[in-house]
Amino acid sequence: MQTSPKQLLVVDDDPAIVQLIDIYLANEGYTVFKAADGEEALDVLARETVQLVILDVMMPKLDGIEVCRRIRAERGIPILMLSAKAEDMDKILGLATGADDYMVKPFNPLELLARVKSLLRRSYSLNPQLQQAADPGVIRLQSLVIDKTNHAVTVEGREVTLTSLEFNILYLLASHPGRVFSAEDIYTRVWGDPYYQSHNTVMVHISKLRDKLEKETEGAKLIQTVWGVGYKIDR
């Protein structure tokens, strides 16, 4: 397990600010993804594993406050918010939305770098679950080990034989602990096709997956049904 997260996302519609931050972060060995607006930021987060977001408030298409809300709905990665607004209420709104820190423009790049390091150190060293979520190649769930890289699931060293679809369903649920996914969510994410209300495909695959997991884990109920809503896995 890595102890020093390295991939960061910088979101700002001012290319000069993005370039400045990129220079300082890259010099410290971080990999920097860049986005010029909120929609692009969410696209990057959907594709890449990111351990911290530096997020401007005032942006076109989707502002930083809304992006922060959407990030917080799915993940707990640290967020450092930037804004030209220095009023206390603006800071309070940013922090109340879910930001972990707030800096006012113009800022000292060395101070920003120090805050980034502090957020990474504090967030990941004190929160093992967040560390695992940030680097989810291997997920440990009770006696179950889910290895995304090798597309393998084991229980105390014994391999659990799953189909590709069963593995992808399990990984989706396990990588978002506590989040409830509807049958439509699961189908569109795992199958990649439009969902039709008459489908019972997800239910059938969940049932088969449960049977295999319970057989190998001596009856552990890992996948929970939230009636009328969907399915989830808790940690």
Side-chain angles (χ1 to χ4, degrees):
M1 179 179 295
Q2 69 183 53
T3 58
S4 179
K6 292 292 185 182
Q7 299 195 142
L8 315 183
L9 171 61
V10 179
V11 191
D12 200 301
D13 61 341
D14 186 334
I17 290 179
V18 173
Q19 183 64 23
L20 176 67
I21 296 174
D22 182 25
I23 290 171
Y24 278 83
L25 293 178
N27 284 341
E28 292 295 317
Y30 297 110
T31 297
V32 181
F33 299 107
K34 306 170 191 176
D37 60 62
E39 290 182 358
E40 187 179 350
L42 294 177
D43 288 342
V44 172
L45 288 168
R47 300 190 311 267
E48 306 291 348
T49 298
V50 171
Q51 285 81 36
L52 180 143
V53 179
I54 299 172
L55 180 63
D56 185 33
V57 173
M58 302 299 293
M59 292 185 298
K61 296 185 180 179
L62 205 63
D63 66 30
I65 296 296
E66 180 59 26
V67 173
C68 186
R69 287 195 183 102
R70 296 192 189 188
I71 293 173
R72 279 291 168 264
E74 293 196 357
R75 61 189 80 188
I77 58 175
I79 299 171
L80 171 58
M81 194 162 277
L82 303 177
S83 178
K85 297 182 177 181
E87 289 81 4
D88 287 342
M89 285 308 299
D90 295 313
K91 295 180 182 179
I92 291 170
L93 176 59
L95 295 171
T97 304
D100 298 278
D101 202 352
Y102 189 106
M103 291 188 71
V104 176
K105 298 177 181 179
F107 54 83
N108 183 324
L110 292 175
E111 181 184 354
L112 181 140
L113 183 59
R115 293 200 191 193
V116 164
K117 290 181 177 180
S118 176
L119 278 174
L120 290 171
R121 183 171 58 251
R122 185 168 69 245
S123 298
Y124 291 93
S125 64
L126 298 179
N127 192 338
Q129 286 191 351
L130 181 57
Q131 172 62 53
Q132 178 169 289
D135 184 19
V138 176
I139 297 176
R140 289 174 173 79
L141 191 66
Q142 299 181 25
S143 60
L144 203 69
V145 178
I146 307 166
D147 185 339
K148 183 181 182 183
T149 302
N150 296 311
H151 219 260
V153 177
T154 58
V155 176
E156 297 178 355
R158 303 186 311 274
E159 185 172 355
V160 182
T161 303
L162 301 180
T163 68
S164 178
L165 289 172
E166 289 166 352
F167 179 90
N168 289 337
I169 292 170
L170 176 62
Y171 185 81
L172 173 65
L173 298 177
S175 61
H176 297 81
R179 176 176 170 180
V180 180
F181 285 88
S182 68
E184 179 177 357
D185 289 335
I186 294 171
Y187 191 87
T188 55
R189 285 172 180 253
V190 172
W191 275 260
D193 293 323
Y195 176 83
Y196 299 98
Q197 192 64 37
S198 59
H199 273 325
N200 64 357
T201 305
V202 172
M203 181 181 67
V204 171
H205 279 76
I206 290 281
S207 177
K208 291 180 179 178
L209 176 58
R210 276 178 167 154
D211 289 344
K212 291 180 179 181
L213 295 178
E214 289 180 13
K215 179 180 178 180
E216 296 294 338
T217 59
E218 299 181 352
K221 308 292 185 182
L222 298 175
I223 300 175
Q224 300 179 31
T225 299
V226 180
W227 295 108
V229 183
Y231 306 93
K232 70 173 182 174
I233 289 179
D234 288 325
R235 288 280 167 81

